[in-house]
Amino acid sequence: MDDPLVTDDARALIADLTVRRETLATAESLTAGLLSATLAGVAGASAVLRGGLVTYTEDTKMSLAGVPPQVLKAVGPVAAPTARALAVGARQRCGATWGIGLTGVAGPEPHGGHPVGTVFIGWAGPRDTEVVELRLDGSRWDIRLAAVHEAVAGLRSLITRDV
């Protein structure tokens, strides 16, 4: 049986990174390892997936991913600077070419003034970092799956631009 989490985009991302001889690491709050699990479900992922950090709490965001305490104090765990720091931390701590950071609110209640469905995704690469803010709909599961899909699609887009 095929892995139900693996998408064509995930397969294509692993193939793209393999051809480029580049690697990837994740720091996940909102998705709690779902992105890493999705990527690891692709045959051949071990050639490019360096590791994943699940940083569901503020203290693990700091200790595992290296998010500066001043960032969390200033903007909180659900914010663009936090997603950026998660991506940079994943990249640095795991020694990867690319890092992805995910944070947000899956519900069922708003968090820190952010409505359910608020998602921030950060990508850190060899030259720069980018962050997007999304508003996703659906259940907790729907929001988390959509965030994974957007994280994968976003990195594929960055890789194509980064040629």
Side-chain angles (χ1 to χ4, degrees), residues 31 34 119 121 134 136-137 140-152:
T31 49
L34 189 57
V119 173
I121 305 172
L134 304 171
L136 303 174
D137 293 319
R140 283 177 60 81
W141 188 247
D142 293 336
I143 291 166
R144 295 171 68 226
L145 284 174
V148 166
H149 172 76
E150 294 293 335
V152 169

Side-chain angles (χ1 to χ4, degrees), residues 98-140:
W98 296 93
I100 302 177
L102 283 148
T103 188
V105 182
E109 302 295 325
H111 178 74
H114 298 284
V116 172
T118 302
V119 173
F120 292 92
I121 305 172
W123 298 273
R127 290 181 252 307
D128 57 5
T129 60
E130 289 195 23
V131 177
V132 297
E133 177 179 358
L134 304 171
R135 298 280 188 229
L136 303 174
D137 293 319
S139 68
R140 283 177 60 81

Side-chain angles (χ1 to χ4, degrees), residues 57-64 72:
T57 62
E58 287 191 30
D59 63 314
T60 57
K61 285 174 179 58
M62 291 183 289
S63 64
L64 296 178
L72 292 169

